[in-house]
Amino acid sequence: PLSPSQWPQFDSWFWPAATVIAIFLLAPGFVGATLDYDGTLLTAAVLALAGISIVLFRDPPKSALAVAIALIAIRIYPTGEYHIVTLRSFFGVHKIYDTDNGRFRILKHGSTIHGAQIVADQNGEPVGGRPKPITYYHDRSAITQAIWSVRARKEGPLRVAVIGLGSGTLACRMEPGETWRFFEIDPTVVKIARNPAHFTFLSSCAPNLPIVLGDARLTFAHEPDRAYDLVIVDAYSSDAIPVHLATAEAMALYKSKLAPHGVVLMHISNRHLELKSVVEGIADANGLKTWIWSSDTEEPDDRNYLFASDVAIVAEDIDDIGGLKWNKMWVLTPPDPAARTWTDDYSNIAGALWRRYVW
């Protein structure tokens, strides 16, 4: 290994380079601009550069300058998070905050956004009244399409079970006369969704909405059979999934609660795992067919929290999904013979991870 005396010498260009870097990092922030990077990533990057500088230069003035630039950059660039409320439960850390422009309120679990609401318009004026669903439930989203299609096919009010509450956004997809029932395992999530100081989806759209607290594999089993036109499973996140809600036995439970011509809608967006094959397998094990909507078919608007999604709709017959059968974006997909069906006794997270990044 090279001794410090043999390391490359930076004296000839250090100060000009430091000046350019400082201008690049600091000038936009002083005029109110932001870099288009995640705040955590920017923090990690500038601190890493500062640490490398300390090791390489062994020169107090140069090291001090590198650290100063790093700390000032972190201080003057907004992270996009304001008025932060942090709540902890057995199931993790929930963070509620307003974006730096004041337009959106966000619910984040770990590193995953589980809800967002528009709280101010583009002029900064507060937005009142019935909140508009965004994130994965906006008007063009696959989940909303499926709800509308099943409602039109039935030609009447729906009976809906939703596994997973989040900020309560889906409550604003209810129509008068419909019966919706939510199932949520985390009592902290229920408190967040019911508190209008945080989010107003429930208080504005369905203040008396029944929420069943507990593990849905247990609580949903107590629901009457053949009761629901639509079962929405939306309890996954981009970081992890409750495997017991994605097995052949779980799908058998959902199927048993479906009314004639009812369907199961599963939100399977995931940052790390390929879950399409999982749903296809557990549906086929129960004599059901699967139609997949891929996020690749959407044009998301992440700045306005209109996200793309991967969604599966599961039914016995093509007519059960209503007008979606004419939509070429919903693709009927048979189970992959190479992917073993998940059961309560078998699941393969490593396989789902492999398929996500390799297939």
Side-chain angles (χ1 to χ4, degrees):
L2 297 176
S3 67
S5 62
Q6 296 173 302
W7 289 357
Q9 299 301 306
F10 301 98
D11 289 332
S12 62
W13 55 269
F14 174 80
W15 294 109
T19 302
V20 171
I21 292 172
I23 292 172
F24 173 77
L25 284 176
L26 304 182
F30 282 115
V31 298
T34 62
L35 292 180
D36 191 18
Y37 292 114
D38 175 80
T40 303
L41 180 62
L42 177 64
T43 300
V46 295
L47 286 179
L49 288 173
I52 292 171
S53 300
I54 292 172
V55 172
L56 288 180
F57 296 128
R58 303 290 180 88
D59 184 330
K62 294 177 181 178
S63 298
L65 176 65
V67 172
I69 292 174
L71 295 178
I72 294 172
I74 292 169
R75 180 67 182 88
I76 67 175
Y77 282 109
T79 64
E81 301 176 4
Y82 289 84
H83 308 113
I84 299 172
V85 175
T86 301
L87 300 172
R88 292 171 174 82
S89 74
F90 175 81
F91 300 96
V93 177
H94 307 280
K95 185 162 64 173
I96 306 159
Y97 62 89
D98 291 347
T99 56
D100 57 349
N101 59 14
R103 290 196 60 208
F104 301 94
R105 180 158 300 143
I106 310 299
L107 170 63
K108 184 179 285 188
H109 181 206
S111 62
T112 303
I113 292 177
H114 277 201
Q117 181 176 341
I118 302 170
V119 294
D121 61 23
Q122 293 183 345
N123 297 320
E125 296 298 322
V127 174
R130 186 181 178 97
K132 184 178 180 62
I134 52 175
T135 61
Y136 299 105
Y137 318 105
H138 57 87
D139 289 348
R140 295 180 287 105
S141 70
I143 292 175
T144 300
Q145 286 184 36
I147 295 170
W148 287 346
S149 185
V150 173
R151 184 180 288 134
R153 188 265 303 157
K154 185 183 178 185
E155 297 182 333
L158 294 177
R159 293 166 293 175
V160 181
V162 182
I163 296 175
L165 177 62
S167 60
T169 312
L170 272 177
C172 290
R173 289 299 178 195
M174 294 176 59
E175 293 288 342
E178 293 188 339
T179 301
W180 288 51
R181 193 172 178 85
F182 281 68
F183 298 80
E184 172 58 49
I185 195 172
D186 191 342
T188 301
V189 170
V190 177
K191 292 178 181 178
I192 291 171
R194 286 206 180 279
N195 186 346
H198 296 324
F199 298 94
T200 63
F201 295 111
L202 291 187
S203 60
S204 296
C205 298
N208 298 315
L209 181 75
I211 300 174
V212 180
L213 187 61
D215 187 333
R217 272 293 295 271
L218 302 176
T219 58
F220 194 49
H222 297 299
E223 295 297 298
D225 290 345
R226 302 171 67 82
Y228 292 101
D229 303 302
L230 178 62
V231 174
I232 302 175
V233 183
D234 191 20
Y236 305 153
S237 76
S238 293
D239 298 316
I241 64 168
V243 171
H244 68 302
L245 297 179
T247 65
E249 292 85 353
M251 183 61 76
L253 173 63
Y254 309 148
K255 181 181 178 180
S256 71
K257 306 306 177 183
L258 291 178
H261 309 294
V263 303
V264 178
L265 185 65
M266 302 188 74
H267 184 194
I268 54 174
S269 301
N270 197 280
R271 187 179 297 131
H272 305 298
L273 304 176
E274 187 275 311
L275 298 176
K276 176 177 73 72
S277 301
V278 174
V279 175
E280 293 163 2
I282 64 177
D284 184 70
N286 286 279
L288 301 169
K289 301 179 178 66
T290 304
W291 289 261
I292 298 292
W293 172 280
S294 173
S295 58
D296 295 337
T297 64
E298 294 186 67
E299 295 183 5
D301 182 3
D302 291 346
R303 289 184 179 275
N304 289 305
Y305 293 90
L306 305 178
F307 299 149
S309 56
D310 295 309
V311 178
I313 191 166
V314 177
E316 287 190 278
D317 187 81
I318 190 171
D319 290 330
D320 296 339
I321 68 173
L324 296 184
K325 65 183 179 181
W326 308 114
N327 188 330
K328 294 181 179 180
M329 300 300 182
W330 289 90
V331 181
L332 176 63
T333 53
D336 184 347
R340 181 176 169 183
T341 301
W342 286 18
T343 68
D344 285 349
D345 297 321
Y346 170 84
S347 61
N348 186 355
I349 297 294
L353 182 67
W354 174 265
R355 293 193 300 271
R356 175 70 176 80
Y357 290 105
V358 177
W359 283 17

